[in-house]
Amino acid sequence: MMKKVLIISYHFPPLNVIASYRALGFAQHLKKYGFLPTVVTHSWEGDSVNLPGNDEFSVIGLSQRNSKSKFHFPHFLIRWTIGQFDNRPEDIASYRVFKEFLFEFLKKEKIDLLIGIYSPFHHVKLCYELNKQFKIPYIVDFRDLHDNRILSIYPIPYINKLKNVLVRFYFKRWLRNALFLTATSESWASYLGKLVNVKGYQILNGYESELLNQVTEEPDSNFFLITSMGNLHECQNLELFYSGLKMFLSRVEDYESVVKVSFIGVNESYKTNIKDELRRNIDSSILKIQGRVSKLEAIRFMKKSYIIVFPNPIGIKGYYTGKIFEYIGIGRPILSFPRNKELDSLLDSAKNYYSFDSEEGVSDFLFSQFQEWKLGKKNAMHKIPFFFSREAQARILADHIRNQLN
């Protein structure tokens, strides 16, 4: 008989954020490897409902009607000292909604394992409390660190340092009985595992084959399309791309009629004044800037492109956005810069990932790909390693669970 797994995740479709797709990946694929998942999340429609799952998993959506907490401590420092790190009133209310439901649900249902997905913080605390009450084994999956600056070159403000001291104190309490931890990079898994003296494993984000296969597009034959998809962050620097692009364009006759550069999904709340920066550095005759698009539309943009641009995060160890694995799954050549030792090593088996440290390298790569495009090599697809799929990562997670539970 399959063991039953309860996945506790604040984020889940139809909420269109990458955290939702990590939880969905576990839900969709764990059954193939011997575990029957049920997801407890919020109903993003309002009422508590059994949301549509499929034969692989079921979903319980909890109401967000009471999105404003009726009471919370007035000062964040007081809240931190009692382990209440989710400061938004709706997050405080969310913890109470999850806790009330789960304590009743587990009185009636037999569950063999809890998987809490961080963030928010209260999922970590809930797993600890549920384990204490019902003796159900649990693991916690970290899709993010509680403070990305911990493993970075960037200075941490004093108030964050204080918060991190308190977070570490409570994490050691809440995670001490966990079977193991998972995180999206080896650096993060190692840091968290050592912090709480529990084994940490890397479980990557990944591409979803079924989703990518819903869109069939060949690279555009009229324009050599270079595309950046999704938000850009302050730790992503585009200077190498700007200078390399200018060098490339100087080698292309009448480039305005054949080259297009698109930045899709740009949001200035993540990288200040990014739209003005793009307009200053890229010829307006070839530049397209567009806001957020649907998941399928994003895939369509990328599949029509000949090159996908990925500025590597600078100075943050173990941080690389989940988008890179979708790019791997698309199969188009990925232009990455500057070189990132950890990510370059991880993606060594992905034959469509190219990383450069110089503007000459960027320019030469663009020009060589342009020459292929001119010769009519429309299908710039590369063999896509299964390892980088969400299914493969769910299988790795299932293996770790099986080894620990047996």
Side-chain angles (χ1 to χ4, degrees):
M1 176 179 284
M2 283 190 177
K3 292 187 181 296
K4 294 183 178 180
V5 174
L6 191 69
I7 300 173
I8 305 169
S9 180
Y10 182 91
H11 309 88
F12 203 77
L15 181 63
N16 185 25
V17 296
I18 193 166
S20 296
Y21 294 98
R22 183 169 179 85
L24 178 63
F26 294 156
Q28 283 184 316
H29 299 298
L30 280 175
K31 187 176 178 182
K32 300 173 187 176
Y33 301 106
F35 298 94
L36 188 62
T38 296
V39 180
V40 178
T41 183
H42 274 302
S43 167
W44 297 99
E45 304 300 326
D47 291 323
S48 291
V49 293
N50 287 322
L51 298 172
N54 57 28
D55 292 340
E56 309 302 327
F57 64 93
S58 58
V59 188
I60 300 170
L62 305 182
S63 174
Q64 293 194 91
R65 283 179 180 270
N66 299 318
S67 61
K68 298 296 182 183
S69 176
K70 295 178 181 178
F71 173 79
H72 59 275
F73 291 97
H75 196 280
F76 66 87
L77 287 176
I78 298 174
R79 296 199 297 271
W80 289 358
T81 59
I82 62 169
Q84 193 179 81
F85 300 108
D86 298 308
N87 289 324
R88 298 186 310 167
E90 54 266 39
D91 290 336
I92 298 169
S94 172
Y95 166 66
R96 294 172 182 174
V97 169
F98 269 86
K99 183 173 182 177
E100 180 180 334
F101 171 79
L102 288 168
F103 268 77
E104 289 301 314
F105 179 80
L106 292 173
K107 290 176 183 177
K108 307 168 188 174
E109 297 288 333
K110 183 183 184 305
I111 296 294
D112 299 294
L113 178 73
L114 305 170
I115 301 178
I117 299 183
Y118 169 87
S119 62
F121 282 93
H122 68 66
H123 287 344
V124 186
K125 182 180 181 181
L126 266 174
C127 283
Y128 166 74
E129 292 174 327
L130 293 169
N131 168 264
K132 188 175 181 179
Q133 178 69 26
F134 298 101
K135 310 304 178 188
I136 303 172
Y138 68 100
I139 65 175
V140 176
D141 175 64
F142 287 84
R143 62 177 184 83
D144 206 347
L145 275 185
H146 58 95
D147 187 337
N148 287 340
R149 287 189 251 197
I150 290 171
L151 299 182
S152 80
I153 62 175
Y154 301 107
I156 299 177
Y158 286 111
I159 193 66
N160 290 61
K161 290 181 179 179
L162 172 60
K163 182 179 181 180
N164 288 337
V165 169
L166 295 169
V167 168
R168 287 193 289 267
F169 171 81
Y170 279 100
F171 271 7
K172 288 176 182 178
R173 173 187 293 179
W174 296 338
L175 295 168
R176 64 190 179 196
N177 296 323
L179 282 180
F180 58 87
L181 313 174
T182 57
T184 51
S185 71
E186 192 61 52
S187 295
W188 288 7
S190 175
Y191 164 77
L192 290 163
K194 290 177 181 176
L195 175 65
V196 299
N197 197 28
V198 172
K199 182 64 180 176
Y201 297 106
Q202 172 184 265
I203 300 293
L204 300 172
N205 284 301
Y207 65 85
E208 187 56 66
S209 302
E210 292 183 7
L211 185 61
L212 297 184
N213 291 339
Q214 290 181 34
V215 178
T216 55
E217 291 276 359
E218 292 294 328
D220 194 298
S221 59
N222 296 315
F223 293 99
F224 181 66
L225 298 183
I226 304 168
T227 299
S228 168
M229 180 59 63
N231 288 319
L232 294 166
H233 298 262
E234 297 294 351
C235 60
Q236 292 175 292
N237 190 304
L238 291 161
E239 291 303 321
L240 268 180
F241 177 70
Y242 296 144
S243 53
L245 177 66
K246 289 174 183 174
M247 290 178 65
F248 157 67
L249 294 175
S250 69
R251 302 161 71 179
V252 178
E253 185 178 352
D254 193 24
Y255 68 80
E256 298 93 340
S257 64
V258 289
V259 177
K260 296 294 180 185
V261 181
S262 298
F263 284 79
I264 311 297
V266 175
N267 185 332
E268 294 199 326
S269 65
Y270 290 87
K271 189 172 178 67
T272 308
N273 298 324
I274 180 59
K275 293 180 183 179
D276 288 340
E277 178 186 314
L278 292 170
R279 294 185 183 107
R280 284 197 309 270
N281 288 281
I282 300 176
D283 187 334
S284 61
S285 66
I286 65 171
L287 175 64
K288 176 180 181 177
I289 302 174
Q290 184 170 335
R292 191 177 184 87
V293 297
S294 70
K295 193 75 170 178
L296 289 178
E297 192 64 20
I299 294 169
R300 185 168 288 107
F301 269 114
M302 290 188 285
K303 286 198 171 185
K304 287 185 68 174
S305 303
Y306 212 86
I307 302 289
I308 299 175
V309 174
F310 180 70
N312 264 319
I314 298 172
I316 304 180
K317 190 175 182 182
Y319 172 69
Y320 27 87
T321 71
K323 293 181 297 187
I324 187 63
F325 301 103
E326 291 184 354
Y327 302 165
I328 294 294
I330 292 291
R332 303 292 185 251
I334 300 167
L335 169 59
S336 176
F337 52 87
R339 293 185 64 85
N340 179 312
K341 184 177 180 181
E342 185 172 2
L343 187 58
D344 291 352
S345 175
L346 175 67
L347 299 181
D348 183 59
S349 61
K351 302 306 180 185
N352 60 327
Y353 175 81
Y354 303 87
S355 183
F356 299 96
D357 255 340
S358 69
E359 57 188 31
E360 291 82 7
V362 170
S363 173
D364 289 345
F365 174 75
L366 289 173
F367 190 73
S368 67
Q369 294 295 317
F370 178 72
Q371 294 295 99
E372 289 194 7
W373 174 81
K374 280 180 61 179
L375 293 173
K377 295 183 179 180
K378 297 181 181 180
N379 189 2
M381 290 292 290
H382 294 259
K383 185 175 181 181
I384 304 168
F386 174 70
F387 174 78
F388 297 116
S389 69
R390 290 202 184 274
E391 180 179 349
Q393 295 303 307
R395 183 176 68 180
I396 294 169
L397 175 61
D399 288 342
H400 289 314
I401 294 171
R402 192 175 297 107
N403 290 338
Q404 292 294 328
L405 288 180
N406 293 340

